[in-house]
Amino acid sequence: MTLTRSRTDRMIASVAPVLDFYEHGTWERHHLDPDIADFAFGNPQEMPLPGLVDTLQRHAVPENKDWFAYKTSEEEPRQVVAEVLRGRTGLAYEPEDVALTAGAFGALGVTIRALCDVGDEVIFLSPPWFFYELMIESSGATPVRVRLDGPDFALATDAIAAAITPQTRAIIVNSPHNPSGRIYREPELAALGRVLTEASARHGRPIILISDEAYNRIVFDGIEFRSPALDYDATLTIYTYGKTLLAPGQRIGYAALSPTFPDRRASMSRIMIQQIASGWGFPNALLQHSISDLESLSVDIAALQARRDRMVPALREMGYEVTRPEGTFYVMARSPEPDDVAFAERLAGLGAIVLPGSMAELPGWFRISLTASDAMVERGLEAFRAAMIRR
Ligand SMILES: Cc1ncc(COP(=O)(O)O)c(C=O)c1O
């Protein structure tokens, strides 16, 4: 596939708002202010988990001459992941079904390239994670957007069914959903499974469900995350340790083909070739050695939930319309003024940075990341109050 200039321009356009915000906009201008409350991205605002530091230090000490040799998807970490997936889903995942990747980002990039042809359509749900459209475009496939309606952002299976064509090769489903915090349950996933099974049969080739589960361990209120692989055979699960460890700069994650995935050995070979072609897109040796210990570590979910429970009622009491996330790091709120970018700039002047909804195809809203520290939450609430008063 050659990258045409118009395709590259579409890639640039798809991420321009968020890159602008990051490189030249409100975040860039305000995030170094020592008093700012930074709710913009799912980035750590406090020191890393002590257990993560210990794990990395321990596994940095070589145990044999191959410790830092070239690594692909190594046997031991693949076994760890397969066992975890078996435990979480009850499905018979095997180590050979797992590709270790540079986070969910890396997994998405290589799997779309490996499993889609130029001109195939890939459906994504809007509001989306910022980079889906970019990654679909860059692979040579064609992005197809299906909108979810707020404030509940339910999985719109009728709209998905209507968007499917004979060219549809894949759909990306993200649960727990960034930015709405929704977690899709059995009835909606079963309905989606029926739609995809029926459409695959009608068009004579399986539609791949790419399940982006970056936040599958960031769940609140004891809700159980359900894997879409339980309701649909051709499911590919994508995961990153970056969210659970709140260390997205340490790049490790995976793509795993469900045991019922069609033609899975050939599909895994294609994924591996794309990993090599993408510039040796495998996680570093140190992270692969660490994976079994990383599995047992997590950001403090109770603290995230407590921040949600502090912020949501406080913002509602101030007059904001706010979602109550079931999982993820994010709370969505309706901007009190129609221009969410202008509102975010005004709010930053008062001491809090949020992500304007326009960055996630949701103009008129803004997103708050609960990865802010407790002190930032308290300072931030003052800024939100002041922004509501001084309109
Ligand atoms: C929904 C979703 N998918 C994928 C990613 C990418 O995760 P990572 O950078 O850990 O690979 C993110 C990160 O923000 C995300 O929110």
Side-chain angles (χ1 to χ4, degrees), residues 102-106 108 129 132 174 178 212 214-215 240 242-243 248 251 330:
F105 238 120
L108 277 161
W129 177 54
Y132 288 145
N174 168 222
N178 170 11
D212 178 353
Y215 300 91
T240 171
K243 307 298 170 190
R251 314 255 346 126
Y330 310 112

